[in-house]
Amino acid sequence: MTTDEPTDPRATLRGGLPDRYLTPEDLVTMFSLPSVETVYQWRRKRIGPAGFRVGKHLRYDPAAVRAWVTEQTALEDAA
């Protein structure tokens, strides 16, 4: 008797969430930014990818970062 249900209960809880959200330091590495302060400035100016707070920590959904990069590329191509 086989079932199609996942055997890992965490898979049900995750429900399509990424395995790991990105930190500001991850963005610094990904985009070769000068410092993490650049990421915080983007957030204050609302010009970077959308992030969210988990307590006092800032996190980014990888899908939101990908969407932001796609948007920036499209804007660059249109100019």
Side-chain angles (χ1 to χ4, degrees):
M1 182 167 107
T2 61
T3 62
D4 292 335
E5 294 180 23
T7 57
D8 184 4
R10 292 174 293 182
T12 303
L13 292 174
R14 245 191 322 259
L17 295 176
D19 287 337
R20 185 174 87 80
Y21 288 102
L22 301 172
T23 65
E25 291 80 9
D26 291 332
L27 295 185
V28 169
T29 302
M30 287 172 63
F31 298 118
S32 300
L33 300 172
S35 73
V36 73
E37 185 57 35
T38 302
V39 177
Y40 291 118
Q41 286 178 13
W42 285 355
R43 183 164 167 84
R44 280 193 297 274
K45 295 176 182 178
R46 298 175 190 248
I47 60 173
F52 60 95
R53 291 260 176 215
V54 179
K56 67 178 183 175
H57 304 285
L58 182 58
R59 295 293 181 259
Y60 293 89
D61 186 343
V65 173
R66 259 187 247 106
W68 178 77
V69 169
T70 302
E71 179 184 320
Q72 297 306 304
T73 305
L75 291 174
E76 192 71 24
D77 290 345

